[in-house]
Amino acid sequence: MSSDRFLAHTAIGDFLEGLVQTGYTVYCPQKEPGVRQSVIFAPWQKGLPISLEKATVAPKHLVLPQSEVLFRYSKHKESAEPAKQSLTLDANEIFTPTLLFASRPCDARGFAILDRPFLQGLFRDPYYARRREALCVVSLTCPSGCATCFCHWTGAGPSSPEGSDILMTEIAEGFVLQGITDKGKELLLASKLPEAGEKSQEATKARKAAWQSLSPVQDLSTAPQKLAEIFADQAFWSQATQACLACGACTYLCPTCYCFNITDESLDGENEQGVRLRSWDTCMAKQFTEEASGHNPRPDKAQRMRNRISHKFSSYPENWGSFSCSGCGRCVTHCPVGLDIREIVLKAIHAKTAQQNEKETS
Amino acid sequence: MADIAKTSPRMLKGLAPRPMPSGNPYLPQTARVLDVIRETATIKTLRVVLEGEDAMQRFHFEPGQVAQLSVFGVGEATFVINSPPSQKDYLQFSIMEVGEVTRALHRLTAGELIGVRAPLGNFFPYADWLGKNIVLIGGGIGMAPVRTIMLHLLERASDYGQISLLYGARTPKDMSYQYELADWLKHKDLACCLCVDKADSDWPHKVGMVPEVLKELAPSPQNSLAVLCGPPIMIKYTVETLLNLGFAEENIVTTLERRMKCGIGICGRCNVGSRYVCTDGPVFTCREVRAFL
């Protein structure tokens, strides 16, 4: 039996309300109060209007919060003698079921990209793992591309299923919801939504039309090799990075950037009670790799940009297969100085290597 | 870095089902400071004992592996465990006071509690070195990782060829492990050479920078392998000297140091190209990392 269901435009509120009642915290795109043109993923409550626009910020905070407590520490000093003191550490283990509604396929692919280093590395990240398990992702397929997005260059597309549990596609009177994972299918089968029936074909048509509306695809398949070849080309990276302010906006808005910092915070001013926090960080900041001695393996912004681009298009692919970029285009849209990651990667692909330059001059 | 493009970069590798390990890799074990040894003006050695019954017996590591030490409320920093794995009474760390965490570690006294996340990283592949001559070279605080592999090799010296040590520091006062140097100098299985950049009048050993003294000692590259740890500038010139002496890049083993936070290959600080110093390292051959030295 097909799990495809139909959600009428007018039934969205009731559907979300039902999910809230079953225990989900529902996040959906909403206009950010007081911030012009900003759409964020925020908890939904009955009566709140939702926006179906692509959000300004990716929803990665649902699996990797901007700041989270890893554990609390408390020192117990029954005596002044250090040897009689003790210490307890309590890890944070509270993770609530969360449903992400109307994110985009590029946002969901971001989760799939984060899943590899967080779940499949030498160590499994238990905080990420529990949040990810508790998350159900309902993605709205894109009706068309836009000027800054390029999912189809990265191996994805406007209706790619990676990372989503349910894909929803808009048709005339509402949406067709299609279960992708078992989690998604079960949620739909348990819902009171009517079966989609013939409307599923309408949705398929809409998805095909979206694919056809995209700009021509650029072949980035040689990017990993080329970026490795020009790794030491300081001139290339200096030139590509000249305008960069190192503000890090690209990394914070990105659905696939996951650099983080770990810091301690005292809760009592005396370090008897406190928390260890994990917070977003940015590889574009000089301090990111600066060592206490002053030595810095990535002292210039050119080296930091090289690291960011090479991670996404060369070293992540080497480790995990795909590009670590879902082509959402947020970094292109919001860069204050108009840097365009697409241009840098294309330039790298067409850059002459030192060897080629040597051949030509000799 | 060479065989990157062999697989399609478009498709994500599949997610393999993996059981959740029982431990939380971010949660430290607690350990109590047993002893604090003042080594030099800037270096102290901490000996710590893991808390909990049998915790020390159950703790296993290999020479070269590192630990994240926590001073709660201040933070974590990475140090090599410089006692040999056979030392089951305590774990030893030598710490140069440079930043916030190392300053806090220097203030610790016996009996105080710290956090330990260990063992992390790879280790010296000593099982692959059987029968070879081993040239150990340590500069400054870089003697710490050399100490653990040296003591480990000396415990099984008959499995190896000649084991030699060149240990250099700026001045005689900057030499750590002074209480052990006499033993090292007269050890029957170790050819030990000490050097300082600047000597005082009663310094009986070599004077000169590590690369210069190494050039003078001129160890044979035949059936030999060099292990060197020290500050980046020393590594750079010592590698040059070793290459000039005829050591192949794959027979020069070094450790890389990077700022680390997670220590488990995720947080994005310590990577050199596609390799992470915290999980793929800290031990690398010169062939693997020459471009990054």
Side-chain angles (χ1 to χ4, degrees):
Chain A
M1 189 181 76
S2 166
S3 65
D4 288 12
R5 291 292 182 270
F6 177 69
L7 174 63
H9 283 126
T10 50
I12 292 179
D14 287 345
F15 176 59
L16 297 184
E17 175 63 16
L19 292 168
V20 169
Q21 275 167 7
T22 59
Y24 278 111
T25 303
V26 172
Y27 279 76
C28 60
Q30 297 168 37
K31 301 241 187 247
E32 191 176 9
V35 185
R36 205 162 54 94
Q37 293 179 340
S38 173
V39 175
I40 56 167
F41 289 99
W44 179 87
Q45 291 164 17
K46 198 174 182 173
L48 276 181
I50 83 159
S51 161
L52 292 177
E53 285 175 60
K54 184 166 128 188
T56 314
V57 188
K60 72 177 170 200
H61 61 286
L62 297 182
V63 287
L64 186 67
Q66 269 180 286
S67 192
E68 69 178 311
V69 172
L70 295 178
F71 60 82
R72 287 170 179 275
Y73 64 86
S74 357
K75 297 176 190 167
H76 312 286
K77 292 193 168 172
E78 283 88 32
S79 138
E81 208 179 311
K84 288 189 180 148
Q85 293 162 6
S86 62
L87 179 79
T88 50
L89 304 176
D90 297 304
N92 176 28
E93 278 167 7
I94 305 161
F95 302 93
T96 49
T98 302
L99 185 128
L100 174 60
F101 184 76
S103 56
R104 297 299 177 108
C106 51
D107 295 330
R109 190 173 167 89
F111 296 133
I113 288 168
L114 297 179
D115 284 346
R116 272 69 194 171
F118 280 92
L119 301 178
Q120 292 282 292
L122 209 49
F123 294 84
R124 182 181 165 100
D125 188 297
Y127 302 90
Y128 179 94
R130 294 210 185 93
R131 281 203 176 80
R132 187 74 174 95
E133 275 158 23
L135 180 67
C136 183
V137 181
V138 183
S139 295
L140 174 63
T141 64
C142 295
S144 62
C146 71
T148 51
C149 65
F150 55 104
C151 55
H152 54 312
W153 300 16
T154 66
S159 52
S160 284
E162 294 102 333
S164 295
D165 296 296
I166 294 170
L167 279 183
M168 62 190 253
T169 302
E170 189 162 25
I171 55 168
E173 320 83 46
F175 306 89
V176 170
L177 273 58
Q178 180 195 10
I180 303 293
T181 61
D182 288 347
K183 192 198 274 180
K185 285 176 187 164
E186 279 161 25
L187 186 140
L188 289 177
L189 290 172
S191 76
K192 291 177 189 144
L193 295 176
E195 284 183 37
E198 287 179 3
K199 290 192 172 80
S200 287
Q201 285 159 22
E202 222 180 305
T204 308
K205 251 191 227 166
R207 289 182 199 176
K208 276 192 185 148
W211 271 99
Q212 278 152 9
S213 77
L214 300 175
S215 60
V217 65
Q218 293 275 358
D219 179 11
L220 305 184
S221 60
T222 55
Q225 185 68 45
K226 282 296 299 204
L227 283 163
E229 282 168 19
I230 62 161
F231 190 84
D233 186 345
Q234 187 70 21
F236 175 88
W237 291 107
S238 297
Q239 204 274 330
T241 321
Q242 252 163 11
C244 176
L245 304 173
C247 68
C250 49
T251 60
Y252 299 129
L253 299 175
C254 179
T256 71
C257 272
Y258 58 89
C259 285
F260 59 78
N261 195 2
I262 297 177
T263 51
D264 283 10
E265 205 166 279
S266 162
L267 294 178
D268 60 359
E270 289 173 16
N271 282 341
E272 302 302 311
Q273 309 272 336
V275 287
R276 178 154 297 168
L277 300 171
R278 160 160 70 190
S279 314
W280 287 4
D281 205 338
T282 172
C283 65
M284 301 307 290
K286 187 176 184 178
Q287 298 91 322
F288 186 66
T289 51
E290 194 169 67
E291 294 159 19
S293 65
H295 174 73
N296 194 341
R298 299 176 206 150
D300 305 320
K301 62 183 180 179
Q303 287 142 348
R304 299 193 285 276
M305 180 69 87
R306 174 181 71 185
N307 178 69
R308 179 161 191 269
I309 307 263
S310 298
H311 180 254
K312 291 193 178 308
F313 291 94
S314 181
S315 58
Y316 183 98
E318 190 186 340
N319 288 332
W320 303 110
S322 101
F323 297 132
S324 167
C325 170
S326 62
C328 76
R330 288 184 177 94
C331 59
V332 181
T333 311
H334 298 286
C335 176
V337 296
L339 279 178
D340 189 330
I341 195 167
R342 298 172 297 186
E343 279 175 20
I344 300 178
V345 175
L346 289 176
K347 256 189 218 163
I349 286 175
H350 298 117
K352 286 184 181 151
T353 59
Q355 264 177 327
Q356 286 170 325
N357 278 332
E358 219 168 273
K359 257 189 208 159
E360 278 173 28
T361 48
S362 64
Chain B
M1 306 269 294
D3 16 319
I4 288 167
K6 280 189 189 154
T7 52
S8 156
R10 294 292 179 84
M11 195 143 97
L12 278 165
K13 283 187 190 170
L15 278 178
R18 177 173 293 193
M20 174 91 100
S22 55
N24 175 343
Y26 294 100
L27 201 63
Q29 285 181 268
T30 54
R32 212 172 277 279
V33 177
L34 175 72
D35 222 347
V36 183
I37 303 163
R38 163 66 74 185
E39 301 280 3
T40 72
T42 55
I43 299 171
K44 276 186 180 178
T45 289
L46 291 187
R47 288 177 177 167
V48 308
V49 181
L50 295 171
E51 290 254 285
E53 207 182 328
D54 290 340
M56 285 302 299
Q57 286 305 318
R58 281 187 282 115
F59 182 82
H60 297 286
F61 73 101
E62 293 284 357
Q65 287 194 293
V66 301
Q68 287 277 22
L69 299 188
S70 290
V71 180
F72 296 100
V74 183
E76 277 186 314
T78 320
F79 305 93
V80 67
I81 306 169
N82 76 54
S83 41
S86 59
Q87 176 52 268
K88 285 291 189 184
D89 296 335
Y90 56 83
L91 301 176
Q92 177 168 310
F93 303 93
S94 296
I95 296 152
M96 183 186 273
E97 188 178 348
V98 189
E100 276 177 54
V101 176
T102 51
R103 193 171 311 131
L105 285 165
H106 267 233
R107 283 206 198 113
L108 292 171
T109 55
E112 288 194 83
L113 287 165
I114 61 167
V116 178
R117 290 198 288 136
L120 298 170
N122 72 350
F123 52 89
F124 293 108
Y126 56 88
D128 300 339
W129 303 344
L130 295 176
K132 290 191 186 229
N133 303 313
I134 313 290
V135 180
L136 303 163
I137 306 166
I141 189 73
M143 188 58 216
V146 173
R147 181 182 187 270
T148 175
I149 183 64
M150 178 182 80
L151 296 179
H152 190 69
L153 292 174
L154 289 176
E155 284 169 17
R156 37 190 69 62
S158 59
D159 294 341
Y160 296 88
Q162 176 64 58
I163 301 170
S164 56
L165 169 70
L166 169 59
Y167 172 24
R170 252 176 241 159
T171 73
K173 279 185 185 153
D174 294 313
M175 292 217 124
S176 297
Y177 317 117
Q178 300 208 5
Y179 42 92
E180 294 175 332
L181 296 181
D183 289 345
W184 296 357
L185 283 162
K186 64 176 189 233
H187 197 292
K188 65 175 171 50
D189 296 317
L190 183 70
C192 177
C193 175
L194 306 177
C195 70
V196 291
D197 302 352
K198 245 189 190 168
D200 48 25
S201 54
D202 49 2
W203 174 252
H205 309 288
K206 299 264 184 201
V207 180
M209 307 258 194
V210 167
E212 295 164 11
V213 177
L214 180 67
K215 206 168 157 188
E216 193 187 315
L217 294 173
S220 160
Q222 231 163 24
N223 192 33
S224 295
L225 185 130
V227 179
L228 67 152
C229 306
I233 190 80
M234 180 207 110
I235 300 274
K236 192 174 170 216
Y237 289 107
T238 309
V239 164
E240 264 176 40
T241 306
L242 286 165
L243 292 172
N244 288 337
L245 285 169
F247 280 80
E249 279 185 334
E250 58 269 29
N251 288 333
I252 303 174
V253 176
T254 187
T255 56
L256 285 187
E257 276 192 52
R258 287 289 185 276
R259 191 167 177 198
M260 293 177 193
K261 285 290 180 177
C262 73
I264 57 173
I266 306 177
C267 82
R269 248 169 214 76
C270 69
N271 60 305
V272 287
S274 63
R275 315 287 301 275
Y276 286 76
V277 174
C278 65
T279 49
D280 299 313
V283 178
F284 293 96
T285 67
C286 185
R287 178 174 295 292
E288 293 171 290
V289 294
R290 185 110 199 267
F292 308 105
L293 291 178

